């Protein structure tokens, strides 16, 4: 039974500590939309998405109003589009992207994810056609998000795909140069991608999922920081217990919203993602949590250890508040979306190399990092390869979402606005990795993948 003290505590979290539900994401299977005719396929996709999600935004707003819980985004994820577009050309895939964009606009969601391909072991003809279409698709749509899975613990790393994605990111940046390469903010390259992720830009509705589900992503870095302020100077066991208890309260709210949305939409409840998702708002920062633990600035020695504690405690606390836990579940470190990360990057305290080390212990990878526009495709591919290796060896999801901002150099600032925030252009090594990337083939799976 929830008592009066807990109710007042939750109200304070919402009003003063930036507690919110980051997203309600409806996952929709499009496997039954395949057709030999592209026109028939487009009609089926549009009709299904608009029918299934016609009340998603309205229900989200109703729950927000009735419970007083801010729900920042209402989103849709769909079956990886390469799976329903086999046999189609790149031009056809661009048409599918535009249809998804139109459907998302019709139902009023913030983003639609799933313009995706899963190529961790190799390419089909449809995978290649979709990947080739990504730059044009993202430059000619507003709400469509794309992801490509290039590696897994079970399969190893498809280095041909890694090479290709470095080139695709460069092309996408160039085709959206009028917005500082913004198209790349809607493109994620994964290793060990999950099927029930509610967060963009990497959300897609996996083939192991039901026909339609509701997934919820929670937030609350500001709440965790405020809780840690009350145990200043205490030992790390106390810090961990404090984060666990706070994560429990945050996740319980997410569980409530997920169940209520599921009931009202008559759609199965999928998962709650426990991730601490920051925003550019001052006070709503994962970096500030780490600094509250005693670091002068995020990026100082000790940052990775602090992040490991935070990530583990969030999962331990959240798992007791919801039986359906999934997605990515951890602490996000998207540089441009986190006020503390932005400050640390601007001051030079935080480098890409340090961020890479941090991704070993958090969700999910090198995220929303702006790099110089003249960074080569092979260097971007090498960055992807490093992150994929971390994911493969550690049996965790890792990802890369970098924006090579055309015409920008180290020290420049790129403004994306909204939740995507402000990106300081970060230094990238000028050492050449092109011969490494040119080898191609597949990095074999690690020995510990041989479990059966």
């Amino acid at each position: 039974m929830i008592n009066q003290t807990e109710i007042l505590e939750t109200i304070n979290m919402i009003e003063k500590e930036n507690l919110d539900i980051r997203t309600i994401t409806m996952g929709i299977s499009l496997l039954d939309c395949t057709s030999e005719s592209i026109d028939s396929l487009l009609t089926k996709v549009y009709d299904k998405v608009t029918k299934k999600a016609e009340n998603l935004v309205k229900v989200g707003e109703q729950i927000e109003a009735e419970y007083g819980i801010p729900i920042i985004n209402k989103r849709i994820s769909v079956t990886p589009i390469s799976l329903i577009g086999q046999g189609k050309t790149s031009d056809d895939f661009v048409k599918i992207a535009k249809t998804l964009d139109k459907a998302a606009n019709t139902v009023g969601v913030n983003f639609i994810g799933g313009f995706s391909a899963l190529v961790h072991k190799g390419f089909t003809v449809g995978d290649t056609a979709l990947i080739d279409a990504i730059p044009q698709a993202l430059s000619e749509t507003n709400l469509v998000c794309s992801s490509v899975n290039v590696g897994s613990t079970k399969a190893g790393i498809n280095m041909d795909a890694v090479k290709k994605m470095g080139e695709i990111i460069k092309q996408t940046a160039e085709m959206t140069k009028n917005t500082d390469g913004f198209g790349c903010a809607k493109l994620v390259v994964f290793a060990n991608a999950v099927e029930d992720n509610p967060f963009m830009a990497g959300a897609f509705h996996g083939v192991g999922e039901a026909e339609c589900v509701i997934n919820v992503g929670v937030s609350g870095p500001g709440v965790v920081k405020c809780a840690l302020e009350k145990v200043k100077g205490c030992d790390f066991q106390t810090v961990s217990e404090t984060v666990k208890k706070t994560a429990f309260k945050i996740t319980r709210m997410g569980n409530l919203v997920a169940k209520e949305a599921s009931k009202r939409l008559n759609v199965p409840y999928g998962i709650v993602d426990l991730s601490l998702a920051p925003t550019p708002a001052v006070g709503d920062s994962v970096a500030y949590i780490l600094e509250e633990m005693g670091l002068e600035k995020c990026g100082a020695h000790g940052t990775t250890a602090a992040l490991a504690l935070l990530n583990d405690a969030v999962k331990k606390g959240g798992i007791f508040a919801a039986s359906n836990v999934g997605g990515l579940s951890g602490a996000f470190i998207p540089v441009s979306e986190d006020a503390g990360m932005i400050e640390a990057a601007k001051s030079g305290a935080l480098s890409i190399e340090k961020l890479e080390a941090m991704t070993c212990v958090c969700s999910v990878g090198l995220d929303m990092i702006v790099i110089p526009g003249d960074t080569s495709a092979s260097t971007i591919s090498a960055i992807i390869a490093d992150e994929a290796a971390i994911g493969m060896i550690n049996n965790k999801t890792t990802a890369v979402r970098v924006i090579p901002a055309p015409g920008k150099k180290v020290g420049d600032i790129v403004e994306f606005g909204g939740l995507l925030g402000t990106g300081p252009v970060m230094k990238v090594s000028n050492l050449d990795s092109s011969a490494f990337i040119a080898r191609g083939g597949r990095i074999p799976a690690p020995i510990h993948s041989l479990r059966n």
Side-chain angles (χ1 to χ4, degrees), residues 131 133-139 165-177 179-187 404 406:
I131 290 170
I134 287 173
Q136 184 179 353
L138 296 185
S139 66
M165 289 314 299
E167 297 163 358
I168 290 296
I169 289 169
K170 285 287 287 185
Q171 292 170 26
T172 303
E174 184 60 29
M175 292 187 73
T176 56
K177 63 183 178 182
T179 53
D180 293 321
F182 178 72
C184 297
K186 301 186 293 173
L187 173 59

Side-chain angles (χ1 to χ4, degrees), residues 198-413:
F199 288 102
M200 299 297 169
F204 63 83
H205 187 70
V207 295
E209 295 289 305
E211 179 72 10
C212 186
V213 298
I214 286 292
N215 297 322
V216 167
V218 299
S219 184
V223 178
V224 174
K225 180 184 181 298
C226 289
L228 291 183
E229 289 173 357
K230 299 170 185 174
V231 294
K232 196 177 293 290
C234 295
D235 63 21
F236 283 116
Q237 286 95 333
T238 303
V239 171
S240 178
E241 286 300 312
T242 301
V243 174
K244 282 164 58 178
K245 291 174 183 176
T246 307
F248 173 84
K249 295 170 186 175
I250 293 169
T251 307
R252 184 169 57 177
M253 188 178 75
N255 190 56
L256 169 67
V257 170
K259 287 184 174 180
E260 195 62 31
S262 170
K263 182 174 69 175
R264 296 187 188 196
L265 290 164
N266 194 29
V267 171
Y269 165 18
I271 58 94
V272 171
D273 188 311
L274 308 181
S275 299
L276 290 180
T279 73
V282 174
D284 198 27
S285 163
V286 169
Y288 291 162
I289 297 174
L290 306 181
E291 291 167 9
E292 185 60 38
M293 291 188 198
L295 302 171
E296 179 181 353
K297 183 71 72 173
C298 180
H301 294 299
T303 297
T304 306
L307 185 58
L309 183 155
L310 174 64
N311 209 53
D312 179 65
V314 165
K315 292 180 180 182
K316 286 175 177 174
I319 199 74
F320 283 98
S323 56
N324 296 12
V325 171
L328 302 171
S329 289
F332 285 2
I333 52 171
V335 174
S336 78
E337 299 176 17
D338 184 305
M341 295 286 177
I342 294 168
E343 292 173 11
K346 284 181 177 178
S347 71
L350 197 59
S351 66
I352 287 181
E353 290 77 16
K354 184 60 177 178
L355 284 163
E356 181 183 304
M358 293 164 67
T359 63
C360 295
V361 299
C362 78
S363 296
V364 81
L366 296 174
D367 195 15
M368 284 304 292
I369 295 174
V370 186
I371 59 178
D374 61 359
T375 305
S376 68
S378 61
T379 295
I380 295 171
S381 293
I383 291 170
I384 293 168
D386 284 341
E387 273 304 300
I390 290 171
M392 175 184 71
I393 295 297
N394 291 295
N395 197 25
K396 72 184 293 290
T397 305
T398 52
V400 172
R401 184 165 49 149
V402 294
I403 300 115
K408 302 295 183 181
K409 60 184 185 300
V410 174
D412 289 343
I413 303 296

Side-chain angles (χ1 to χ4, degrees), residues 98-114:
K98 291 181 177 180
T99 298
L100 292 172
D101 200 50
K102 180 182 176 183
N105 270 300
T106 298
V107 299
V109 294
N110 305 95
F111 285 112
I112 184 166

Side-chain angles (χ1 to χ4, degrees), residues 1 11 27 35 77 126 128 146 149 161 185 196-197 206 230 316 324 338 344 366 389 425 428 438 452:
M1 193 69 183
I11 291 171
S35 176
S77 64
T128 301
S146 179
N149 192 64
D196 55 3
N197 168 23
K230 299 170 185 174
K316 286 175 177 174
N324 296 12
D338 184 305
L366 296 174
V425 180
V428 174
N452 211 342

